[in-house]
Every structure is written in C-alpha cells, then in structure tokens.
Amino acid sequence: MRAFLILALCQAVFGQQYYRLGSGSRYTYSDQIASEIRNLTQTWTPGNNPMPLTHYRVGSLAPQPQHRLPEGMLLLKVNQDIELPENFDARQQWPQCKSIRTVRNQGCCGSCFAVSATSTMTDRWCIHSQDHETFEFGSIDVLSCCTECGDGCQGGFLPQTWKYWVRRGISSGGAYGSNQGCHPYPFTTCQSEDEEDVAPRCKRTCNSAYNVTKAVDDRRFGRSAYTIPRDERKIMEEIYVGGPVQASFSVFLDFKSYKSGVYRHVWGPHEGYHAIKIVGWGVENIKSVPVKYWLVSNSWGQDWGENGFFRIVRGEDHLGIESEVTAGMPHYSKHLKLQGLDW
C-alpha cells in the first residue's frame, strides 16, 4: 500500500496519471470518457464532442529517418533579430487569408497527413503571394497520386508529402460536397464504426464543373520543403515570419474528449500519430499558474474542441509535437513553365 501511494504521488507531480478502468469497459462517445477523467485534467476540460470516438481518425505514420527533410528556417532569409510576442495568432496576423481560419474535416479517412499539409500550403500560398492570392490545395491529389507519400486513407508521411509538392505539384480541391476545385474532397463522416474509406484512383482530369480540364495544368508547386529544428523558439520564429506549420504528435484516447483549455495527456491507450497545423502560440493563467501553449488547427470539423482548434502544452515536446515540424515555401511561376506538358 505504501509503494502504491508513492507511485500515485509521483504521477501527480509529473502530470501523467493513468486511470485504470474495469476490464471490458468500452466507450462510444467522448462524454463517457470525460466523466471518468475530469478529476485528472488540471489544465483542460474534457466534454462531449458530437461524433463517436471511432469516427475521429488519425493517419500520420511514424517518422522514418530516410524521409527526413533538411533542416531549414525561413527566418534565416528574412531577419536574424526578431522580438516575439507573448501571444500570436496567424488568423489575426493575416486576416486576408481565410484558409487559416478554415477548419477542414478529413471525414472517414486517415488522411490527416495530407489534409493538414495541403491546408498549410494553402495558407502559405496566400500569405506570401503579392496580393494574398487564394489557391486551395486539395488532399486527394496526395492520397491518390503520391505513392511514396503513404497508403491513402491508411495514413502517410509528412516529409514525403512536402517533397511531392515541390517535385510534382498538387491540384486544387474544395471541401466535401462543395464541387469546387479540380479534385473536391470525397469523404464525409463515417456511417458506421467499422467503415474504412479508400482513396480513389489517381485522376488525370479535373471535376467537370471546374474551369481546368487536365489535372496537370491545375497543379501548383512548392519552391522548398524543410523541417524546423526541435526548438520552441525556432518553431515560433518560423510561424511568425512564414505562417502556419505542419506537425504531428501521439494521440491517446483522452484527446478525443478535448473541449477547451491547454491539453496535456493524462489517460488512455495510444491511438496512433496525428498530423495537425500549428497557427500560433500563447500563455494562459490557469489557477494562477502561467501555462504556455501551441494554438493548433485540427481536421475533425468545427464541432470538435474549440471550434475545430485546440491548445496543447508548449516547450516540452509534449507527445512529440515539436519533433517533426514541417514547412515550405511556394513557387509561383513553375506551373506556368510546365503548362501544356503531359507528364
């Protein structure tokens, strides 16, 4: 009994408490988890997200050393001396770029690696273009045509997706049901617990309602792709100068019940790796203690979390969120040089 009390005290000190439930327990909705762990979460509030837990899919595959991008930072080319604010939100910094505020929904497909990457590319295309031009990069081109990026709805790799943007370009695509862009997103929410959507075959032609016929003529390219060093300040500098970045982290079951606050994992089995988009940072005083956080856009729709966004502990590489931060810069003329070619 004494050893058990010592262990419980250590877990409380380090913020990593694990709630052991009765054998055979099964959870369908997040409010069931919330009722079990509410006394464990010190910096965030669990609650009821609308979809069944199994419908919130992950899909980032574990990083592979051979895929790693070269380290780089846009700041090195812009300004070596920069004063970072305590709080920063890319949605407010670049209000002309509506994509930063848009929360995508990956639906019944483990496509977070592609969805968050193309969302980040869309933001950066707008931020760095002369007149804040909009081009909505779609994720179907990645899921269906990039064989080295991963396995479609079964997940994929962040670095390979950014390499594909530079090498082959990515076509446009609106949200599910929008009928917009060359390849609109085809997946809606799951209709059953066991449903697994499959990425369509790679299409050489665009949606018939779109004003471009060949997919190759619609693709836009990246100029560079790089990983940001695992350093809190350098990641902040990259976002401050270049815009949102893509990252991935380990997801545990408690995360699916997140409703508000600064998330820190406290309970549950490992669900896999999840790719997301970091759009800013800040500090929140919780019980008179300042807690640093990353401001993150998820891909589980606007009804999840804080209107589709969440905050997670910053500066500790919590769940690996600072270990694989990826970004790149657009190339605004390459598609013009390649137009008309069939490759």
Side-chain angles (χ1 to χ4, degrees), residues 133-145:
E133 175 188 343
T134 297
F135 186 86
E136 188 172 1
F137 288 94
S139 48
I140 289 304
D141 209 344
V142 176
L143 294 173
S144 300
C145 303

Side-chain angles (χ1 to χ4, degrees), residues 3 17 39 105 140 190 195 205 211 235 240 270 286 294 323:
Q17 299 185 39
N39 63 321
N105 194 334
I140 289 304
C190 299
E195 180 180 352
T205 57
N211 59 4
I235 296 169
Y240 189 76
H270 187 232
I286 301 175
W294 295 113
S323 291

Side-chain angles (χ1 to χ4, degrees), residues 200-273:
R201 295 182 63 182
C202 183
K203 295 181 180 179
R204 297 168 65 88
T205 57
C206 292
N207 168 30
S208 60
Y210 190 52
N211 59 4
V212 177
T213 301
K214 292 183 178 180
V216 67
D217 292 334
D218 188 61
R219 287 176 174 166
R220 299 294 184 269
F221 294 79
R223 181 182 296 276
S224 62
Y226 47 89
T227 184
I228 294 91
R230 189 177 61 184
D231 180 285
E232 176 190 2
R233 179 175 174 85
K234 290 180 179 178
I235 296 169
M236 293 165 69
E237 289 173 343
E238 177 68 29
I239 297 170
Y240 189 76
V241 174
V245 297
Q246 188 187 27
S248 69
F249 69 107
S250 292
V251 165
F252 291 80
L253 189 58
D254 62 343
F255 177 70
K256 294 184 176 183
S257 71
Y258 171 91
K259 285 304 295 181
S260 63
V262 181
Y263 173 74
R264 181 189 291 278
H265 166 54
V266 295
W267 172 86
H270 187 232
E271 296 277 296
Y273 298 95

